[in-house]
Amino acid sequence: MAKVWTLLLLCGILGSGLSENPSWFENISTNLFKSPGDILIGGLFPINDLTSELSQRVKPDDLECNSINTFGLSLSLVMKFSLDEINSLEDLLPGITLGFEIYDTCMQPAVVMKPVLQLLTKESTEELDISCNYTDYKTRVIAIIGPNNSELVPVIGKLIGFFLMPLISYGATSDMFSDKETFPSFMRTVPSDRWQVAAMVQLLKEFGWNWVSIVGSDDEYGQKGQQQFSSMANEESICVAYQGLIPVYSDPEPAIKEILNRIVDAKVGVVVVFSLPKPARDFFIEVIKRNITAVWVASTAWSLSDGVSTLPGINSIGTVLAFADITRPLHLFNPYIRELFKKMEETQIPQEPDTEISPLDNPCPSCSFLTQANVSMVEVKLVERSAFSVYTAIYCVAYALHDLLGCNATSCALNPKTDKVYPWQLLQKLQKVSVDLEGVNFKFDKEGNPNFGYDFMQWIFNDTTVQFDGIGYFYQNLTIDKEDIIWHTKNGKVPLSTCSSDCGIGQVRRVKGFHSCCFDCIDCKEGTYLNSSDDIQCRACPTGQWSTLRSTSCVYPIYTYLDWSNYESIGLILGGILVLASHVWVGALFFMHRGTPLVKTAGGPLTGLTLLSLAGECISLVLFLGQPGDVVCRLQEPLNAFFPTVALSVILTISLQIVCVTEFPEKSPDHLENLRGRGSLFVILGCCGLQAGLCGWYAREGPSLTQYVASLEVNYVKTFLRCPVEPMLNFGLMLGFNVLLALISFMSTFMALKPPGQYNLARDITISTLSYCVVWVMFIPIYTSLNDKEKSIAQVGVSLLSNIGLVAAYFFPKCHLLVKHPELNTDDHFRTFLEGVPPTPPEES
C-alpha cells in the first residue's frame, strides 16, 4: 500500500511540474473590454472596420462599424493579457490592481473622438469638466494605449496632450509626432518613420541603387514617409524617378494604373512602397495583373500583412525586402487566449448579440461567441510580431507607476485609492523609464521614440505560402547578410537600378532635382520630333508632315483605302456578285418568256433596261474599292446615283399606267397605249436628264481628290482616304431625287385596287419602292455618325441592299409565277393592265 501512495504522489508532482499554464490563468475574467481596477488604463484599437459610407454622413452618429477586424481585436486581447499578467506579479505593483477600458477606433477620425472624450471624463463620472486649472483634474484613466496608425494621432494627440496624459502608440510611426511642442504627451513603442527612411536609404546605397520610385498611401503615414524618403534620398545622391500616392478614401484603381504606367516608363528596378496594408494590397493586385517584376522595399505597415502576402500570384512580383518592427515572442499569450476562449465557451448563453448596445459599452457584441476554434486569429504572423509593441507599452506604464507610487517588492508609498495620482505625473516617469522585457532593454528618448530599430527580412516564396526570413537588422546602421538574399533575376545576381540610363528614341532629357545625372525622359508628342539626342526640347513638324509619339523625324502621311484584299472589300464583292447573279437569273428567265402577258405587264423591253441599270449600279460600286484617283472620284457618286434613277423611272412609268387604269378607267383604253410607248420614254428621259444635271452639278462643284488632299490639315501619320463627298447639298439632292421617284411610285400604287382573280402588279411596286425609301432614309442618320472608312462601307452596303430590295420585291414574285405557276401566265390573268379594263370591286355578299 505504501508503494501505491508513493507512486500516486510522484505522479501528482510530475503532473503539476509539466503543466504549461501558470496559476493566475484560473482567475481570467471573460470581460474582454472592461475590467475594474485601482488605476485604469485606456485602450484604442481597430476592433471593427467601417461598414457605412462617409460621404453619406449627415449626423455625427451616422457611422457604422460592424465588420470585425481580427487584427485589431487580437491586439486588444494583448492588452488584456498584459494587464492580467501584471496584476499577477506580486512585486511590480503590490496591493494595486490595474484595470482597463478598451474602445474601438474603427480607424476613423470621426469614430475615435467619442471614446477619447469618454476617457478624458472626470474620474468615476461621465462628465468632462470645464475648468481654468487642469493640474488637479483627475481623469478617468491615467494613460491611453494607442492608436494603431498615424492617421488618428493628429486628431486626438493635441487634445490629449493638453492634459499631458501619456498617449503611447503601438503603431503610429509618422515622424511629425516627434515634435514635443505639438504632441507633448505622445510616445510610441515602434520606431519613427525617420529611422525607417534612414534604413531604406542605407539599403539602396548598399546595393548601388540610385534610380528608384516611391509609392505611398495617400494619408498621414504615406505622405510623410514619402516626403522624408525623397528628402533623405536627395541628400545621398539617390534619384527618385517617380513618386505617387494611392488613394485611401476613394477608388484607388485609376490612380494605381497611372502609377504603374509611370513606374514602367521610368524603367526603375527598385520601388519603395510606403503604405498602409489595404492600399498596398490594392496596389499589388494590379502589379500581379500586369506581371511587373522588381525589387519592392516594404515599409513596416504592410511588410508582414497577410492581406498582401496571401494574394494569388504574389510570387511573380520579384524580390520583396521588408523592414519589420523588432519583436519578441510572448510565450504565454497563445495559451492565455486558449484558456480565455475556453472559459467564454463554457459560459456562453445561446442568444443573439444585442446590436442596440452602444459601442462605448461593448465594441464587439458578437465577441461573446468566441470559442477555442477562434484561437487561430492570434496565431497569424502579423499579430505575433505586433503584440510585443502593445505588451511593451503597457509594461512601460506599469513600471512608470511603480516609480510614481514609490513601490518596492512588498508595498507602495502612495495608494491610488486615497492619494491623488495625475497623468502628467506619470508622463514624467515614463520619459525616464527603463524596462527589460524578453531580453530587450527598452526606454524612450527625449522625443518619445523607442531605443531600437528594425528587423530586415526577405519574403521567401514557396508554392502557396510566403515565409519571412530574417537577413539583417537596423539600429542606427544597417547590417545585412547579403549572401542569404535570393534575387528574382535569371542569373541570381543583384538587379540593377541606376540613374544614368539613357533615354529612348524620341525622348528628350529633363533634369530632375539637383542631380545632373538624374533626369526624366520626356516623350516627343505627336507632331513633334527629336532632331538630335543633344536637343533639350522637341521640334514641331513642318507643314504637311506629322510624327508619331517619340519620333526622330517627321513623314508625309500615308493613306489607306478599301484594298481589294481587305475582309470588308471581299465581303462587299461577294455581296455584289450575289446581287448581279440575281439580275442575270431574272433577266434570263424574262428573256425566255419574252412576249408573254406577264413580261408585257412588267414593262416589256423596259424590264431589260431596269435590270441593266441595276446591274450597272452594282458594277459601279467597284469604284469605292481600290486606290482612289481624280477620275474615279469624279465618277463614283454620280454613277451610284444615276443608275438607280433609270430603274426607278421605269417603275414610275408602270406606276403611272396603274394610276391611269384605276383612277381614270373611262379614258384608260384610249391613252394606255400612248402612255406605254412615247409617254414612258418621255418620263424615263426626263427623270434621267434631271438626274444627269444634278450629277453634273455635283461633279463640277466638288473638289478633285488632289485638291481635297492638299486642303487637309495633317495631324496624322496614317489615315483612311475616301473620295471627297462635297458639296453635301448636291450629294443629298442626287440621293434625294431617287427617293422622291420611289416615293411617287409608292403613293401611286399603295391604294390601288387588286383586280379580282388577276395578278396584283401594284403590290410589287408598293413593296419595292417602300423598301427603297426605308433603306435610304435610315441611311442618313447612320451615315453622319460614321468615320470615313465606315461611311464608304456603309454606302456600298446600303446601295446593294436597296438594289436587291427592288429586285426581290418587284421581280421575284413574277419569277415565282413563271416557275411555279406558268398556267397563270395568260391574258385573262393580266387583262386589267394589258387592255386597260378597270378592276371591278368584289361584290358584297
Side-chain angles (χ1 to χ4, degrees):
M1 180 62 69
K3 292 182 179 179
V4 173
W5 283 108
T6 303
L7 182 60
L8 290 174
L9 179 62
L10 287 173
C11 290
I13 295 172
L14 289 173
S16 62
L18 293 173
S19 175
E20 295 182 359
N21 297 338
S23 59
W24 61 270
F25 274 24
E26 299 175 1
N27 301 320
I28 294 176
S29 167
T30 57
N31 194 324
L32 302 183
F33 306 112
K34 288 189 178 181
S35 179
D38 302 321
I39 297 176
L40 294 183
I41 300 175
L44 299 175
F45 296 89
I47 298 172
N48 294 285
D49 291 327
L50 184 69
T51 55
S52 61
E53 290 291 336
L54 287 174
S55 59
Q56 298 177 3
R57 183 180 179 222
V58 177
K59 300 177 183 178
D61 287 336
D62 286 350
L63 290 166
E64 293 183 5
C65 302
N66 298 325
S67 175
I68 295 178
N69 183 323
T70 56
F71 171 70
L73 177 60
S74 299
L75 294 188
S76 71
L77 295 178
V78 175
M79 179 171 177
K80 173 178 169 56
F81 159 74
S82 304
L83 289 170
D84 283 349
E85 185 180 64
I86 289 170
N87 289 331
S88 71
L89 301 175
E90 298 179 353
D91 57 348
L92 182 54
L93 292 171
I96 296 173
T97 302
L98 296 183
F100 60 86
E101 290 187 1
I102 294 174
Y103 296 99
D104 178 27
T105 68
C106 198
M107 290 189 290
Q108 296 297 324
V111 174
V112 75
M113 282 304 300
K114 191 180 293 185
V116 167
L117 293 175
Q118 176 82 358
L119 294 172
L120 292 176
T121 56
K122 196 171 183 179
E123 182 183 25
S124 302
T125 71
E126 298 285 337
E127 300 173 355
L128 183 61
D129 283 0
I130 305 299
S131 175
C132 295
N133 185 351
Y134 283 93
T135 301
D136 296 328
Y137 182 78
K138 190 172 182 182
T139 53
R140 188 184 193 88
V141 297
I142 201 165
I144 298 176
I145 307 301
N148 72 305
N149 62 33
S150 300
E151 193 74 5
L152 302 182
V153 176
V155 180
I156 63 174
K158 296 177 183 179
L159 175 61
I160 296 172
F162 170 76
F163 292 88
L164 291 180
M165 175 185 288
L167 178 64
I168 309 176
S169 174
Y170 51 87
T173 57
S174 174
D175 189 56
M176 69 178 293
F177 309 138
S178 298
D179 181 1
K180 292 300 105 179
E181 292 184 3
T182 307
F183 301 95
S185 67
F186 179 82
M187 311 176 89
R188 52 186 153 202
T189 54
V190 289
S192 161
D193 287 337
R194 181 175 72 250
W195 293 111
Q196 185 172 192
V197 167
M200 289 175 172
V201 171
Q202 285 193 28
L203 171 66
L204 299 180
K205 291 184 65 178
E206 188 72 27
F207 291 102
W209 295 325
N210 62 0
W211 186 242
V212 300
S213 291
I214 178 168
V215 178
S217 52
D218 194 3
D219 63 343
E220 180 66 31
Y221 174 76
Q223 292 170 0
K224 293 297 182 182
Q226 190 180 86
Q227 292 171 8
Q228 289 178 337
F229 177 85
S230 298
S231 175
M232 196 172 294
N234 180 58
E235 293 174 0
E236 297 295 336
S237 298
I238 295 174
C239 299
V240 178
Y242 172 72
Q243 46 188 326
L245 292 172
I246 306 169
V248 175
Y249 300 111
S250 60
D251 181 16
E253 186 173 348
I256 291 174
K257 289 181 178 179
E258 176 62 20
I259 289 171
L260 290 178
N261 289 338
R262 298 291 296 274
I263 288 176
V264 171
D265 292 342
K267 299 179 181 178
V268 296
V270 177
V271 181
V272 177
V273 183
F274 218 102
S275 170
L276 296 178
K278 186 180 183 306
R281 175 183 172 84
D282 295 333
F283 177 76
F284 281 102
I285 287 174
E286 191 65 27
V287 170
I288 294 169
K289 286 182 182 177
R290 297 199 182 192
N291 197 28
I292 297 174
T293 58
V295 176
W296 309 94
V297 180
S299 66
T300 56
W302 69 273
S303 61
L304 304 177
S305 170
D306 286 344
V308 181
S309 63
T310 57
L311 284 173
I314 192 66
N315 57 355
S316 66
I317 65 173
T319 302
V320 179
L321 302 178
F323 289 95
D325 298 326
I326 287 179
T327 187
R328 293 294 182 270
L330 305 181
H331 300 291
L332 290 178
F333 178 56
N334 287 3
Y336 172 88
I337 296 299
R338 290 192 194 94
E339 187 66 25
L340 173 63
F341 286 2
K342 179 182 177 182
K343 283 191 175 185
M344 293 179 67
E345 189 174 6
E346 292 171 351
T347 59
Q348 281 176 6
I349 301 176
Q351 63 179 14
E352 291 294 322
D354 188 356
T355 57
E356 300 299 324
I357 297 178
S358 167
L360 287 178
D361 296 325
N362 186 0
C364 181
S366 59
C367 287
S368 60
F369 295 96
L370 289 170
T371 67
Q372 295 182 76
N374 302 116
V375 172
S376 59
M377 75 179 189
V378 302
E379 296 175 342
V380 300
K381 195 72 175 179
L382 184 58
V383 173
E384 289 178 351
R385 293 196 64 92
S386 303
F388 186 67
S389 298
V390 179
Y391 185 79
T392 304
I394 295 167
Y395 262 90
C396 286
V397 173
Y399 275 94
L401 283 171
H402 179 88
D403 292 341
L404 178 61
L405 299 177
C407 300
N408 54 35
T410 58
S411 64
C412 295
L414 298 178
N415 186 346
K417 297 177 182 178
T418 57
D419 300 310
K420 295 289 186 179
V421 179
Y422 298 105
W424 58 266
Q425 295 174 322
L426 178 65
L427 179 63
Q428 295 174 0
K429 296 297 182 181
L430 275 169
Q431 292 168 346
K432 301 174 183 178
V433 75
S434 179
V435 181
D436 291 313
L437 294 173
E438 304 293 339
V440 176
N441 177 262
F442 181 91
K443 58 185 176 181
F444 296 105
D445 64 16
K446 62 181 180 179
E447 295 177 341
N449 295 317
N451 62 327
F452 53 69
Y454 306 94
D455 286 330
F456 183 57
M457 315 184 80
Q458 181 185 18
W459 287 19
I460 303 298
F461 299 108
N462 300 319
D463 293 336
T464 57
T465 60
V466 174
Q467 178 184 343
F468 306 107
D469 186 23
I471 52 175
Y473 62 91
F474 172 85
Y475 179 63
Q476 297 182 344
N477 290 295
L478 183 64
T479 302
I480 308 174
D481 296 327
K482 295 182 180 180
E483 297 77 13
D484 295 339
I485 300 178
I486 301 173
W487 300 106
H488 67 277
T489 52
K490 292 182 178 179
N491 55 12
K493 294 184 178 179
V494 179
L496 298 177
S497 189
T498 58
C499 184
S500 56
S501 301
D502 290 333
C503 285
I505 297 174
Q507 292 181 317
V508 293
R509 297 181 179 182
R510 179 176 294 173
V511 174
K512 185 174 184 177
F514 302 99
H515 308 288
S516 59
C517 64
C518 297
F519 45 81
D520 285 332
C521 293
I522 308 301
D523 295 342
C524 286
K525 297 180 179 178
E526 295 179 351
T528 64
Y529 70 103
L530 184 66
N531 186 47
S532 170
S533 59
D534 296 329
D535 287 352
I536 59 173
Q537 64 181 7
C538 304
R539 299 186 182 185
C541 288
T543 304
Q545 296 184 27
W546 198 251
S547 65
T548 56
L549 190 69
R550 295 178 57 178
S551 292
T552 56
S553 62
C554 298
V555 296
Y556 288 100
I558 298 172
Y559 295 103
T560 61
Y561 44 86
L562 282 176
D563 190 77
W564 294 92
S565 59
N566 289 353
Y567 291 121
E568 298 94 333
S569 300
I570 294 173
L572 294 174
I573 291 170
L574 292 176
I577 291 173
L578 182 63
V579 176
L580 278 174
S582 68
H583 296 156
V584 173
W585 179 71
V586 172
L589 192 60
F590 269 51
F591 183 76
M592 291 169 57
H593 295 84
R594 61 188 180 281
T596 61
L598 184 148
V599 176
K600 288 180 181 179
T601 303
L606 292 180
T607 58
L609 179 62
T610 302
L611 290 169
L612 286 174
S613 64
L614 292 176
E617 181 191 15
C618 280
I619 296 172
S620 71
L621 293 177
V622 300
L623 296 177
F624 286 85
L625 308 178
Q627 185 172 358
D630 285 340
V631 175
V632 169
C633 289
R634 291 293 188 191
L635 296 175
Q636 190 183 83
E637 296 295 351
L639 291 180
N640 187 48
F642 182 78
F643 281 118
T645 302
V646 177
L648 290 169
S649 61
V650 172
I651 294 175
L652 178 60
T653 61
I654 299 172
S655 301
L656 294 177
Q657 294 173 33
I658 294 173
V659 172
C660 180
V661 172
T662 58
E663 300 298 328
F664 308 99
E666 67 281 355
K667 297 180 180 181
S668 61
D670 299 330
H671 300 286
L672 188 59
E673 194 61 35
N674 290 331
L675 191 57
R676 285 177 178 161
R678 288 175 296 177
S680 297
L681 183 60
F682 288 148
V683 171
I684 294 171
L685 290 177
C687 293
C688 293
L690 185 55
Q691 181 65 287
L694 292 174
C695 292
W697 186 30
Y698 172 84
R700 183 177 180 277
E701 292 294 324
S704 66
L705 181 64
T706 303
Q707 293 170 333
Y708 172 73
V709 171
S711 66
L712 291 175
E713 180 183 353
V714 177
N715 55 7
Y716 47 81
V717 170
K718 187 176 183 180
T719 190
F720 184 83
L721 180 65
R722 68 190 294 258
C723 291
V725 182
E726 297 177 3
M728 283 299 294
L729 173 63
N730 303 42
F731 175 67
L733 288 174
M734 290 190 300
L735 298 183
F737 182 73
N738 288 338
V739 175
L740 178 62
L741 293 179
L743 185 61
I744 293 172
S745 299
F746 170 76
M747 297 295 292
S748 300
T749 59
F750 85 104
M751 291 292 290
L753 293 175
K754 177 184 182 299
Q758 297 185 40
Y759 188 81
N760 189 3
L761 183 61
R763 176 200 59 194
D764 297 347
I765 295 176
T766 299
I767 296 175
S768 61
T769 54
L770 177 62
S771 67
Y772 188 90
C773 290
V774 169
V775 167
W776 283 102
V777 168
M778 291 178 60
F779 168 74
I780 296 171
I782 295 174
Y783 182 84
T784 57
S785 63
L786 302 177
N787 59 39
D788 287 347
K789 181 178 181 180
E790 292 168 345
K791 284 179 178 179
S792 296
I793 295 172
Q795 188 171 354
V796 175
V798 169
S799 297
L800 291 173
L801 184 62
S802 62
N803 192 307
I804 194 63
L806 288 174
V807 174
Y810 186 74
F811 287 103
F812 282 5
K814 300 174 181 58
C815 294
H816 178 265
L817 188 145
L818 291 174
V819 175
K820 295 293 185 180
H821 304 286
E823 69 277 3
L824 296 179
N825 191 6
T826 62
D827 290 337
D828 288 338
H829 198 62
F830 297 93
R831 185 173 303 280
T832 296
F833 302 106
L834 288 175
E835 300 177 6
V837 178
T840 303
E843 295 182 1
E844 296 183 2
S845 56

